[in-house]
Amino acid sequence: KRIAERIAQIEGPVAVKGLDIKPYRDDWEGDKPEPAPEKDLTNKKVILVDDVLYTGRSIRAALDACIDRGRPAEISLAVLVDRGHRELPIRPDYIGKNIPTSRQERVRVHVQERDGEDAVLIE
């Protein structure tokens, strides 16, 4: 929501909607849901926002979820942290910070609204 507020200062109001990607993950054990009609994305400009970009599998699932809800005019990707180690050809359009990591490390992003602080932690 904070990112949407910043965009709204430049572009005008923008809608913020959550997107459940769990059923679209390649490790999900269930059927794909039907597209939700109240979230029709046909001809919309969509910006997917993720905290940490790692293998790209979550973003692939988000793309599938978007396409099931219509044909967006455009889909962009914004990430707070890009840690590398991609398994799929996914590249963000907007990156807060590139942080090289090993596969053994874990990156956690804390945001004020949920965690009481803005921080990036490497464990």
Side-chain angles (χ1 to χ4, degrees), residues 8-29:
Q9 291 172 354
I10 300 166
E11 297 288 329
V14 295
V16 177
K17 300 190 185 242
L19 187 61
D20 182 11
I21 65 164
K22 288 182 204 126
Y24 294 91
R25 293 185 54 89
D26 54 12
D27 54 358
W28 177 262
E29 299 287 331

Side-chain angles (χ1 to χ4, degrees), residues 60-75:
R60 188 222 29 97
L63 289 167
D64 288 348
C66 285
I67 299 304
D68 267 3
R69 286 161 175 78
R71 185 181 174 127
E74 177 183 329
I75 301 176

